[in-house]
Amino acid sequence: MTGYRIPFNGLARQYKNYREEFLAATDHAMYKGQWMNGEFTDQFQRWLKQRTGKTYAVLTHSGTTALEAIARYYKKVNFVEDTAFIPTLTFPATANAFINAGFNIELVDCNSYGQTIYGRQFSGGIDKPGVAVGVGLYGETVDQRPSLPFVEDGAQHWLTDSNTASTAMAISFDPTKNLPSSGNGGAVVTNNRSIYDWVKSYFNHGKDTNVIGSNARMSELEAAHMMVRTQYIDEWQHRRRDIAEHYMERLKDKVRVVASDKKRHSWHKFVIDVDGRDKLRRDLGERGIETRIHYDRPLHEMPKYEHYKNPGLMSVASSLSRRVLSLPIYPELTDAEVEIIADQVRNHNG
């Protein structure tokens, strides 16, 4: 064992750095006495519209509820037999949102960078009813242009360019994300007025409409905390890029970085494709460096999804899932810690 410990995320450090601002925002929100749909909600929604370049934004309780609301909108306007084409290398929430909305799903393979491959994967052609879902895995920009209605699961990549072909994007502010909440949080952003009206009504139990809705709003307290973080997101993103560039320079002849367009990447995760992944992870852990695997199994290898049409065990996703490792990348890492991580990976004998 070494004398240092480098955690995988920096949430505790972030709070210590901005504690007084978080406490002041908490006090302001609580004293106002309007704990839902108040000034901080309005401020954050306006900020999101400006940041994403979208016309409309609706805050919600989580990225999952945001994606499920979009899925339910499409279920409402399409046929019961519709299929949602979902990347197989993603977090289960992507698939769950559409299954819970009543869609049949078809799991689609990826390339070696985790980018979804659409056209050749559609069974029966791309003219059947359905919706394609793009995931910017690890922060990769989504560049696909499928002919079906196209939705972005922007949980990991939303701080990069949004796909102009998509009709709506779901955002997550999970604590692990680049712009983290203090618990859960999400949003739907879109240029489509019909989607906006439906989603807004859905999250208010369909009040004054014929929508059968739900309640999944973000609280004023959470929105107040998010407005503190928005002041620093550009600084944090710049730091993430600096760390990613240092890793890439130090490890360029040692590992492959799972990122096809490194200039248009949010660096939500810094993921390497490496021989002997499990041994490297174990050895780094013994040296005090915490890592993660995103993801150790594609969806089609999980029993609850294996009966859906999928690319099979010989897929690129299956191969990639056995080789990828996520290294710590967050603004609160010190230069010394970044160097330690790079040195340990570079000098590892797999």
Side-chain angles (χ1 to χ4, degrees):
M1 285 291 293
T2 62
Y4 53 79
R5 179 182 179 275
I6 304 175
F8 186 72
N9 70 65
L11 293 173
R13 299 181 186 187
Q14 182 187 98
Y15 181 72
K16 291 175 183 176
N17 289 344
Y18 305 101
R19 180 174 180 270
E20 295 306 316
E21 293 177 66
F22 285 128
L23 292 178
T26 300
D27 199 47
H28 187 178
M30 300 298 279
Y31 262 109
K32 294 288 286 187
Q34 185 172 352
W35 294 355
M36 301 293 296
N37 298 327
E39 66 175 273
F40 291 111
T41 296
D42 289 340
Q43 289 174 17
F44 191 29
Q45 287 177 158
R46 287 198 302 270
W47 182 89
L48 276 173
K49 289 187 289 185
Q50 181 180 22
R51 184 71 188 216
T52 62
K54 300 297 186 183
T55 308
Y56 307 106
V58 183
L59 296 181
T60 179
H61 179 65
S62 69
T64 302
T65 54
L67 193 59
E68 187 168 327
I70 297 171
R72 290 186 181 278
Y73 170 83
Y74 274 103
K75 192 63 178 175
K76 170 181 175 290
V77 300
N78 284 343
F79 299 106
V80 174
E81 295 82 13
D82 283 355
T83 298
F85 298 92
I86 308 288
T88 191
L89 194 60
T90 187
F91 190 67
T94 310
N96 292 348
F98 284 84
I99 294 171
N100 288 337
F103 279 86
N104 178 52
I105 66 168
E106 183 170 325
L107 298 172
V108 184
D109 202 4
C110 64
N111 63 18
S112 62
Y113 292 107
Q115 296 171 310
T116 312
I117 302 171
Y118 283 107
R120 67 183 173 84
Q121 293 292 330
F122 285 141
S123 63
I126 60 174
D127 56 344
K128 65 180 181 179
V131 58
V133 183
V135 174
L137 192 66
Y138 311 141
E140 186 81 44
T141 299
V142 174
D143 282 329
Q144 294 91 355
R145 295 288 193 277
S147 58
L148 294 176
F150 188 38
V151 170
E152 288 180 86
D153 179 347
Q156 301 182 46
H157 78 278
W158 72 273
L159 284 164
T160 66
D161 302 331
S162 176
N163 191 316
T164 56
S166 69
T167 53
M169 180 166 64
I171 296 174
S172 172
F173 305 116
D174 179 272
T176 64
K177 300 300 188 284
N178 296 38
L179 185 63
S181 66
S182 301
N184 278 315
V188 174
V189 295
T190 182
N191 288 327
N192 186 303
R193 180 60 187 262
S194 176
I195 294 176
Y196 167 73
D197 287 342
W198 195 92
V199 169
K200 186 176 181 181
S201 178
Y202 177 77
F203 287 141
N204 195 27
H205 286 292
K207 187 177 180 180
D208 301 324
T209 72
N210 62 354
V211 174
I212 302 299
S214 183
N215 177 14
R217 296 170 292 174
M218 181 183 287
S219 72
E220 271 291 280
L221 181 58
E222 193 61 72
H225 288 180
M226 296 306 290
M227 287 308 298
V228 172
R229 295 185 177 97
T230 60
Q231 300 174 62
Y232 301 101
I233 187 60
D234 290 328
E235 176 185 329
W236 295 344
Q237 286 298 99
H238 183 77
R239 176 62 177 164
R240 283 178 181 268
R241 284 191 292 272
D242 283 349
I243 294 171
E245 288 173 0
H246 187 78
Y247 281 156
M248 287 186 286
E249 177 61 27
R250 296 282 283 111
L251 302 176
K252 61 185 177 182
D253 57 350
K254 181 72 174 181
V255 302
R256 186 181 74 91
V257 179
V258 186
S260 64
D261 188 343
K262 299 174 179 63
K263 294 187 181 300
R264 297 172 61 212
H265 202 289
S266 76
W267 299 114
H268 167 60
K269 295 287 188 288
F270 188 89
V271 180
I272 58 175
D273 174 357
V274 60
D275 293 332
R277 185 269 311 275
D278 293 337
K279 183 176 187 302
L280 172 59
R281 187 183 187 207
R282 183 170 58 252
D283 290 349
L284 290 176
E286 290 175 354
R287 289 167 171 78
I289 300 171
E290 189 177 13
T291 59
R292 294 282 191 274
I293 299 173
H294 300 94
Y295 299 95
D296 62 345
R297 287 188 297 172
L299 298 185
H300 69 272
E301 292 187 26
M302 300 180 188
K304 60 185 174 183
Y305 303 114
E306 62 185 5
H307 63 285
Y308 292 107
K309 186 171 179 60
N310 65 72
L313 293 178
M314 298 303 292
S315 65
V316 176
S318 291
S319 175
L320 199 58
S321 69
R322 288 157 174 77
R323 297 177 54 86
V324 292
L325 184 68
S326 301
L327 303 180
I329 182 169
Y330 49 89
E332 295 80 15
L333 283 172
T334 67
D335 289 347
E337 288 173 325
V338 174
E339 190 63 29
I340 288 170
I341 295 167
D343 279 345
Q344 290 296 332
V345 174
R346 183 174 179 80
N347 297 328
H348 183 263
N349 294 314

